[in-house]
Amino acid sequence: MPLQVKRLLLAFAVFIGIMLGLKYFLTPDSWREYGPYRGKALIEIADKVPKYVDMETCIMCHDSIGELKIQGLHKSIQCEICHGPGYLHVDEPEINKMKLPAGSEFCIQCHARNAARPDKIIKQVDAAEHSEGENCISCHNPHEPWL
Amino acid sequence: MDKFETLYEALANLDGFIYPNEIALNWDLLIVMYPYITGLVAGAFILASLNRVFDIKALRPTYEISLLTALAFMLVATMPLISHLGQPFRFYEMLITPHLTSAMAIFGFVYLWYLMVVLLLEIWFDYRYDMVIWSGEKKGFMRFVYRALTLWVLDTSPESRKTDEKIGYFITVVGIPSAFLLHGYVGFIFGSIKANPWWSTVMMPVIFLFSAMVSGIALVMFIYMAVNYLRRQKTDIFCLDTIAKYLFYILIIDFTLESLDQIHRIYEADESFDILKLLVRGKLFFTFFIMQIGIGTIIPLSVLGFLQFKKPRERIRKILYLIVSICVLVGIFYMRWNVVIGGQLFSKSFYGFTSYKVDLIGGIDVWLSVLWFVIPFFILAFLLWLLPPWKKAEELPHE
């Protein structure tokens, strides 16, 4: 066998040895605990603080709005869809205010006429014609929108 | 959704209906750079193989430059992925835990095979004799460096050179399917995602492969001219003509394959076709028709085609080759863009679109992408300094 091939095989053996050593020492403990991933990743993901706290949490304080909302057509829409995530607000409501949607532009994201949208489920209007520039909430209460 | 604090912000980026997990693009500019850079590696290597295996002597001046270019880009090929993962403290886990259960996790095997077994070995056998000679000429630290690089094999006999030559040839032969494997594999990652009609086609690995060859050859053509300009040396116009000829041929195959793919989609016109038509005519209009097809394909094809029949003066040809190589490099970048970004812009409901804007100010992905594209040029400059092709010894006469 030529000398350079012998040396290369030796170099490869050293390299493979280093790689195996690295693999042995650096592979995370929980690797392959359940499959080809870190088992601890599941705990890390589960430990993340949820940003959305759910409507039931909102109703604990805002009960009058909750009562109104569950009677209306927006009953299946979570509060945080319009007001943003509430995890900070729950801890310190005075400091971390919830967002208030700005004007009609917000409403027409869902309610503007769009042929791709199912008309039976989401009421749709031609915004310019329907409100003539008036803000939607002048006539409709978003917590209990009537038709 | 991390990019958007509220649904209101997110909705402003959307058209029609889209599922919540499709609003923000998971794969950004860095994932565009990944197939782009690996493509440059595979393409540059295949150009080197043309010289070695198919014995195209006109390409000889670019042989070492192609190999070193492939190595320089290969060394950073993982970096866009690693920086996109955003886990700087455990990025290495990706490389030490390869497994066979997913296409992406096979990357560790493909990368190590190509880098260690093909590229480094081929360069080593090509340069071993020269490194021994250089180690004799240098003194001090550099002498040690060259000796270490030869693994202290200081044999310069004609027999040892013949052995280098034979093994180097064998590695190049193995290297061609390996280069095909490397970039075919990158195409496979996209082509095998059956839920995405823009990606899911068996043509994808082949298209990726040919576009890789196109971009790699254009890159070597550009670097060859740039290196000669910086060294104030005359560029071998016959070599450039030959590279341009192969670039022309492979560009034709690449364009044909991509056109075939699109014609197939258009004729088949399955349920996803309407949304893809809107995608291509709308959000991808500039990047697809203008950049990829116009700048990246039609202009280079026309210029190279013209030069196959009519040869203007040498100086004009050089300028045209320079422009063509840049056009091709830009065009292939946009090809990757159209695949990676385009495939994420439409909803799998086929009823809506999201949008993607590159944050030029404050967006880290742009700066990292630029960084990973620029660094290989510095690595190449270092490699050309360490292993200068122009100082290599004469080749052994072929028997």
Side-chain angles (χ1 to χ4, degrees):
Chain A
M1 191 185 284
L3 181 64
Q4 59 263 54
V5 178
K6 277 186 199 162
R7 282 285 161 83
L8 267 183
L9 287 176
L10 187 69
F12 263 74
V14 171
F15 174 76
I16 291 168
I18 292 171
M19 279 304 282
L20 288 175
L22 286 175
K23 198 169 167 51
Y24 180 76
F25 288 108
L26 296 179
T27 301
D29 298 336
S30 61
W31 170 255
R32 286 201 179 276
E33 193 176 337
Y34 307 111
Y37 55 91
R38 285 184 311 121
K40 280 186 184 156
L42 299 181
I43 302 164
E44 283 168 25
I45 294 164
D47 279 350
K48 282 190 175 177
V49 180
K51 291 188 174 178
Y52 287 83
V53 295
D54 202 19
M55 193 156 74
E56 284 172 17
T57 313
C58 308
I59 290 173
M60 283 159 72
C61 298
H62 304 282
D63 49 350
S64 56
I65 294 177
E67 277 171 28
L68 201 61
K69 191 167 170 288
I70 52 172
Q71 292 164 21
L73 287 166
H74 277 173
K75 64 183 173 191
S76 58
I77 294 175
Q78 292 284 330
C79 309
E80 291 162 295
I81 285 182
C82 301
H83 294 292
Y87 69 115
L88 295 173
H89 178 73
V90 171
D91 289 340
E92 291 171 310
E94 290 304 317
I95 298 169
N96 302 310
K97 299 281 185 193
M98 297 297 281
K99 284 183 197 297
L100 289 175
S104 303
E105 281 176 21
F106 184 79
C107 307
I108 61 167
Q109 293 280 359
C110 295
H111 292 288
R113 193 163 294 290
N114 184 336
R117 235 171 233 155
D119 200 23
K120 285 179 188 164
I121 299 169
I122 301 172
K123 302 297 173 202
Q124 295 168 48
V125 293
D126 185 331
E129 197 181 85
H130 179 79
S131 65
E132 295 175 338
E134 192 72 26
N135 198 340
C136 303
I137 58 169
S138 306
C139 302
H140 304 274
N141 179 354
H143 296 130
E144 193 197 17
W146 50 266
L147 292 170
Chain B
M1 276 290 283
D2 284 355
K3 286 183 180 168
F4 305 111
E5 186 61 28
T6 63
L7 185 73
Y8 181 69
E9 279 174 49
L11 287 175
N13 286 284
L14 309 177
D15 298 301
F17 269 147
I18 189 156
Y19 296 123
N21 60 348
E22 296 169 329
I23 294 173
L25 266 66
N26 291 314
W27 290 357
D28 60 20
L29 191 60
L30 283 165
I31 305 296
V32 177
M33 292 309 286
Y34 162 60
Y36 187 55
I37 290 178
T38 25
L40 296 173
V41 176
F45 182 83
I46 289 166
L47 185 67
S49 316
L50 278 176
N51 168 252
R52 186 89 184 244
V53 178
F54 303 107
D55 203 20
I56 298 164
K57 292 199 170 54
L59 295 176
R60 186 66 192 87
T62 61
Y63 176 66
E64 278 86 13
I65 291 180
S66 309
L67 283 181
L68 296 178
T69 303
L71 179 62
F73 278 84
M74 190 66 179
L75 290 173
V76 294
T78 54
M79 297 316 288
L81 291 180
I82 287 168
S83 35
H84 182 258
L85 282 173
Q87 296 287 354
F89 295 110
R90 55 183 174 88
F91 72 91
Y92 54 84
E93 288 175 14
M94 185 175 83
L95 294 168
I96 57 167
T97 56
H99 56 92
L100 297 169
T101 54
S102 88
M104 284 191 195
I106 294 172
F107 179 71
F109 293 119
V110 176
Y111 182 80
L112 275 183
W113 169 262
Y114 194 74
L115 176 70
M116 297 301 296
V117 183
V118 176
L119 212 45
L120 282 182
L121 278 189
E122 179 160 346
I123 294 172
W124 192 78
F125 279 110
D126 189 50
Y127 273 99
R128 193 197 62 82
Y129 173 79
D130 303 285
M131 289 190 295
V132 178
I133 303 293
W134 294 335
S135 72
E137 292 168 358
K138 302 276 175 186
K139 284 195 176 105
F141 181 67
M142 286 313 290
R143 184 190 179 91
F144 172 77
V145 169
Y146 282 120
R147 290 219 163 174
L149 284 173
T150 60
L151 300 174
W152 287 274
V153 183
L154 304 176
D155 189 357
T156 54
S157 64
E159 288 73 33
S160 72
R161 289 190 74 187
K162 271 184 197 159
T163 311
D164 290 343
E165 179 76 26
K166 268 187 204 160
I167 300 176
Y169 181 83
F170 174 73
I171 292 167
T172 318
V173 173
V174 176
I176 295 174
S178 302
F180 277 45
L181 176 81
L182 174 75
H183 213 67
Y185 158 79
V186 177
F188 178 82
I189 288 182
F190 292 96
S192 61
I193 297 179
K194 62 185 170 188
N196 190 322
W198 185 238
W199 290 341
S200 176
T201 158
V202 283
M203 300 278 279
M204 199 58 106
V206 190
I207 290 173
F208 260 57
L209 187 60
F210 276 91
S211 56
M213 284 156 76
V214 168
S215 65
I217 293 173
L219 178 70
V220 174
M221 189 153 97
F222 176 82
I223 287 175
Y224 178 56
M225 282 190 276
V227 166
N228 280 330
Y229 176 77
L230 292 172
R231 294 185 59 234
R232 298 179 204 286
Q233 295 290 318
K234 201 173 176 321
T235 305
D236 181 351
I237 191 71
F238 183 53
C239 173
L240 274 184
D241 284 339
T242 313
I243 302 178
K245 189 172 73 182
Y246 283 100
L247 182 60
F248 178 60
Y249 294 158
I250 295 171
L251 198 54
I252 290 176
I253 300 173
D254 183 41
F255 188 47
T256 312
L257 286 171
E258 287 192 39
S259 307
L260 192 62
D261 183 39
Q262 296 304 337
I263 291 166
H264 188 256
R265 279 177 205 278
I266 294 165
Y267 186 77
E268 205 177 42
D270 66 10
E271 64 271 25
S272 65
F273 182 64
D274 288 337
I275 192 92
L276 296 183
K277 194 163 72 180
L278 284 172
L279 175 76
V280 170
R281 288 182 182 174
K283 285 179 182 282
L284 292 187
F285 183 83
F286 175 73
T287 54
F288 189 76
F289 287 110
I290 313 265
M291 300 309 287
Q292 184 185 334
I293 297 182
I295 308 256
T297 313
I298 303 289
I299 293 177
L301 266 183
S302 315
V303 174
L304 292 174
F306 170 76
L307 291 176
Q308 301 307 310
F309 298 104
K310 194 143 179 71
K311 295 258 187 275
R313 277 185 294 129
E314 202 176 305
R315 192 178 150 71
I316 295 176
R317 250 147 69 206
K318 280 183 189 167
I319 294 170
L320 286 176
Y321 289 146
L322 186 70
I323 295 169
V324 162
S325 63
I326 294 170
C327 283
V328 168
L329 285 170
V330 170
I332 298 294
F333 171 79
Y334 277 100
M335 183 263 173
R336 312 295 189 220
W337 172 283
N338 291 329
V339 171
V340 176
I341 303 294
Q344 300 173 85
L345 287 179
F346 65 94
S347 167
K348 305 311 167 286
S349 68
F350 303 153
Y351 282 119
F353 292 101
T354 184
S355 51
Y356 175 66
K357 278 199 190 103
V358 176
D359 298 327
L360 284 176
I361 298 165
I364 195 148
D365 49 343
V366 180
W367 298 110
L368 282 173
S369 301
V370 172
L371 183 75
W372 300 134
F373 188 67
V374 171
I375 282 183
F377 288 97
F378 286 98
I379 297 176
L380 179 63
F382 171 74
L383 289 173
L384 287 173
W385 170 78
L386 186 71
L387 306 168
W390 41 88
K391 287 188 185 164
K392 273 176 75 65
E394 286 289 312
E395 282 179 60
L396 278 177
H398 286 277
E399 287 159 11

